[in-house]
Amino acid sequence: MMRSHSAATGSDAPPSSAAASSLSPHQWSDVVQYLTADELKELRLAGSKEMHLADPCLTSHLQLRMDKAPFFSAANNSTLSQAKKWLTNRRRLVVNHAVPKMCPYRVAYLVANGLLDSVSQIVIFDCHAHRRVFALLAQLPNLESLRLASHASDQEEGAMDELEFIVASVGRVHSLKHLDIEFDCVIPGSRLSFLRGLQGLQHLRLRGFDLSDGIRSMGGLRDLKTLHLCHGNFYSSPSNDVNEKDLINLLSLTNVNQVHLEGFDCLSETGLKPFSTTPASVKRLVLKHCQDLNDDCLPSIGRMENLTSLHFVHSAYDEVPIFDIESLHHINALVALKSLSLFYVLEDPTDLRALWGLTSLETLNIALEDELDEEDVDYLRQNILPMFGSLRKLRIFSEESMCCTCRHGKLEIEYAPFTFGDLVYLE
């Protein structure tokens, strides 16, 4: 209807409010599924009542805050028909409040009567405070994506018990394909036995577990495509290191194409063997804060022939050995590599000459113990970087750097700060 209106007038002007208000809620649902929550809000403010933009069916593609929706609370004045309007075809539920506001009996009723059967994604922050509600949501038949986060510390009374109960409950969600868990306290790795029941899992991110135990529980996840493991977390490093021989249990994960290992100290060729065995499927590898990284990991990485992204991310406080020239030569086998990060593993920027084989490299991120001055950067740009014919972006990270960007022909040079625990964009 809107297209014919524009054609009739012979202009690109938007349709009149009369034409827009003539659309039914069903027709509007085809339009708003491409809008964000803010865009839909603006449309509501600009529209009229006749446009029916307040109809709950128009928001089914957006997330619903369980801690704000009245029909989940004990003080519920909503009718069942009102709840159905808001929950029909709803795909994503979010809980973002540390104080429990949902009534478990209300949630149990909605789950038992199938009103939440369309939900496929759930995000729960401060999940230690919502154990009873999560146990009910874990029964949903079509739940595919789950994110759990908790800021509770090890010292918070009862928090560890609540989190261990929640983790055990995850093992009953056999339909899961995407699992992301991030805890500020550290759960024993033995609790990861729940993973054995999640055979369909494709994406796994774990932060806040003592991975000196429990890695073997991941060996049966043969559909896994993304593996992100952090030993402990930013706030706490477990007393025992990860036994890299446990990583051999992951040899069966032949479909993994993205690997992120954080806090895996003394990592060597043995630990990386599962990801470099032919045919190597890994396309992105991140080794972050892996102290005492062994030089012999580089031959193993050099066999990951499909790598397009490789990132060694450390801080000035990490104990990281400098890669020698001979070891760096192994990276030249990665002819498809497009982005590379070398944080505190080079003795001097001239060591980059050893990487003459990276003809596809487009983005290079470096951080050195001795900060580069303007003269150093000019030398690097004029005498070393031309070796990388495809290079378009150089990022230079340091602890005291100010954010700024300059351009020299096709090459963009960015200066950026980085300290321990920072999240950085590397691609």
Side-chain angles (χ1 to χ4, degrees):
M1 184 178 296
M2 288 192 287
R3 291 193 185 95
S4 63
H5 175 85
S6 298
T9 58
S11 70
D12 294 328
S16 66
S17 59
S21 63
S22 66
L23 294 179
S24 68
H26 177 72
Q27 290 171 311
W28 269 115
S29 65
D30 291 336
V31 176
V32 300
Q33 64 178 315
Y34 301 104
L35 304 180
T36 65
D38 288 339
E39 288 170 339
L40 179 57
K41 184 177 179 180
E42 291 179 5
L43 187 60
R44 282 174 171 171
L45 291 173
S48 61
K49 291 183 178 180
E50 290 78 15
M51 294 170 68
H52 311 290
L53 294 177
D55 195 303
C57 74
L58 297 181
T59 67
S60 61
H61 66 293
L62 301 174
Q63 67 183 31
L64 180 67
R65 286 278 299 272
M66 289 184 68
D67 48 299
K68 288 191 173 184
F71 40 82
F72 287 114
S73 70
N76 174 35
N77 296 319
S78 303
T79 64
L80 181 60
S81 61
Q82 289 175 318
K84 283 182 177 179
K85 285 183 178 181
W86 282 98
L87 296 175
T88 298
N89 296 324
R90 183 71 56 178
R91 296 189 293 271
R92 182 180 172 92
L93 297 179
V94 175
V95 179
N96 192 11
H97 204 288
V99 179
K101 293 187 174 183
M102 294 84 67
C103 173
Y105 299 107
R106 298 283 185 187
V107 176
Y109 176 84
L110 295 172
V111 170
N113 286 275
L115 274 73
L116 298 176
D117 282 0
S118 62
V119 173
S120 60
Q121 305 172 40
I122 292 179
V123 179
I124 305 181
F125 297 100
D126 294 302
C127 62
H128 62 279
H130 306 291
R131 174 177 65 86
R132 293 178 64 192
V133 167
F134 175 71
L136 295 165
L137 296 176
Q139 302 173 30
L140 295 178
N142 299 305
L143 185 56
E144 295 184 351
S145 177
L146 177 62
R147 182 184 177 194
L148 300 171
S150 171
H151 295 302
S153 67
D154 296 342
Q155 288 73 40
E156 189 168 329
E157 186 177 356
M160 287 284 286
D161 291 338
E162 297 294 301
L163 292 176
E164 289 187 18
F165 178 91
I166 287 174
V167 164
S169 299
V170 174
R172 296 194 290 271
V173 191
H174 302 299
S175 56
L176 272 186
K177 294 182 180 179
H178 189 293
L179 177 61
D180 185 330
I181 301 179
E182 181 167 352
F183 296 155
D184 285 357
C185 60
V186 178
I187 304 296
S190 58
R191 302 298 187 266
L192 290 172
S193 57
F194 77 89
L195 290 171
R196 293 171 182 165
L198 304 181
Q199 297 297 310
L201 208 59
Q202 296 180 6
H203 306 278
L204 176 63
R205 179 178 180 269
L206 298 176
R207 182 179 293 269
F209 289 85
D210 182 348
L211 297 178
S212 62
D213 188 15
I215 288 180
R216 62 177 60 89
S217 296
M218 306 173 196
L221 305 178
R222 290 179 171 82
D223 291 339
L224 210 61
K225 297 179 180 178
T226 302
L227 179 64
H228 183 134
L229 301 177
C230 179
H231 182 44
N233 53 42
F234 176 76
Y235 304 98
S236 177
S237 178
S239 55
N240 294 324
D241 289 339
V242 175
N243 183 350
E244 68 171 351
K245 291 183 179 179
D246 287 347
L247 290 168
I248 298 299
N249 291 287
L250 306 183
L251 276 168
S252 59
L253 307 186
T254 56
N255 292 312
V256 171
N257 55 49
Q258 294 190 45
V259 177
H260 180 121
L261 302 179
E262 188 168 344
F264 282 58
D265 294 347
C266 304
L267 198 61
S268 71
E269 184 174 12
T270 300
L272 292 174
K273 185 177 180 180
F275 313 115
S276 60
T277 303
T278 303
S281 61
V282 178
K283 295 183 178 180
R284 186 174 194 268
L285 175 65
V286 180
L287 301 178
K288 188 174 184 181
H289 301 310
C290 294
Q291 302 194 65
D292 297 317
L293 197 64
N294 199 310
D295 266 7
D296 72 6
C297 71
L298 291 179
S300 190
I301 291 173
R303 290 191 291 274
M304 301 180 191
E305 56 189 25
N306 292 314
L307 272 184
T308 57
S309 296
L310 173 61
H311 306 290
F312 298 95
V313 182
H314 306 95
S315 76
Y317 302 102
D318 290 323
E319 296 180 8
V320 184
I322 299 298
F323 291 152
D324 60 46
I325 299 300
E326 185 177 350
S327 297
L328 286 170
H329 283 158
H330 291 286
I331 299 180
N332 288 317
L334 307 176
V335 294
L337 199 67
K338 293 185 178 295
S339 58
L340 173 66
S341 299
L342 299 168
F343 284 34
Y344 301 100
V345 294
L346 299 179
E347 184 172 4
D348 186 86
T350 58
D351 291 349
L352 290 169
R353 295 184 189 274
L355 303 178
W356 46 265
L358 303 184
T359 56
S360 300
L361 192 65
E362 297 177 357
T363 300
L364 175 62
N365 309 300
I366 60 173
L368 301 165
E369 187 173 346
D370 296 326
E371 291 193 25
L372 300 179
D373 58 25
E374 187 175 346
E375 185 177 339
D376 294 329
V377 175
D378 283 342
Y379 179 85
L380 185 65
R381 179 176 59 82
Q382 295 175 20
N383 298 284
I384 299 178
L385 297 185
M387 176 179 66
F388 307 113
S390 300
L391 193 67
R392 294 294 178 266
K393 192 173 188 69
L394 170 68
R395 293 192 186 96
I396 302 173
F397 291 90
S398 69
E399 289 200 305
E400 299 179 0
S401 219
M402 299 289 288
C403 288
C404 65
T405 302
C406 58
R407 181 172 288 279
H408 297 273
K410 295 181 179 180
L411 179 66
E412 181 180 295
I413 300 178
E414 178 183 336
Y415 299 85
F418 176 76
T419 57
F420 181 81
D422 282 356
L423 296 175
V424 288
Y425 182 73
L426 302 171
E427 304 302 335

